[in-house]
Amino acid sequence: MDMKELREKAGLRTVDVASKLGIAESTVRNWDIGRHTPRLPIEDIPKFLEVYQCTLEEIVEAAKESKRKFDAFHS
């Protein structure tokens, strides 16, 4: 499962995640496609996991999968 699939599994749109985390919607879109991986201050991680309704392990694997797909498409 990649970042987009994880977000959709939580029933969220990119604008929803952006609003809940106080970030730009383009940032969420970049996470979805694997252009960038989430980089958050440690104190923001619990909120991040709450928004995505997942575990730390799930988000790490989703970020890796998105990055893998992005790299494969752009190589």
Side-chain angles (χ1 to χ4, degrees):
M1 181 175 304
D2 63 23
M3 290 294 291
K4 181 178 180 181
E5 293 166 335
L6 194 62
R7 175 180 54 73
E8 290 174 341
K9 180 182 169 197
L12 299 168
R13 300 171 299 160
T14 55
V15 67
D16 300 326
V17 173
S19 174
K20 290 173 186 271
L21 295 177
I23 58 175
E25 188 177 355
S26 61
T27 299
V28 180
R29 286 193 303 266
N30 282 325
W31 293 347
D32 278 1
I33 65 169
R35 179 175 283 136
H36 300 292
T37 56
R39 285 179 259 165
L40 304 165
I42 191 98
E43 63 270 11
D44 292 344
I45 292 174
K47 177 70 173 175
F48 183 77
L49 297 176
E50 178 185 322
V51 168
Y52 274 87
Q53 301 172 24
C54 68
T55 66
L56 182 59
E57 292 80 16
E58 289 171 320
I59 204 82
V60 167
E61 288 306 312
K64 285 180 185 177
E65 180 62 13
S66 289
K67 177 83 170 115
R68 186 196 65 73
K69 287 179 179 179
F70 182 83
D71 290 346
F73 184 76
H74 291 91
S75 63

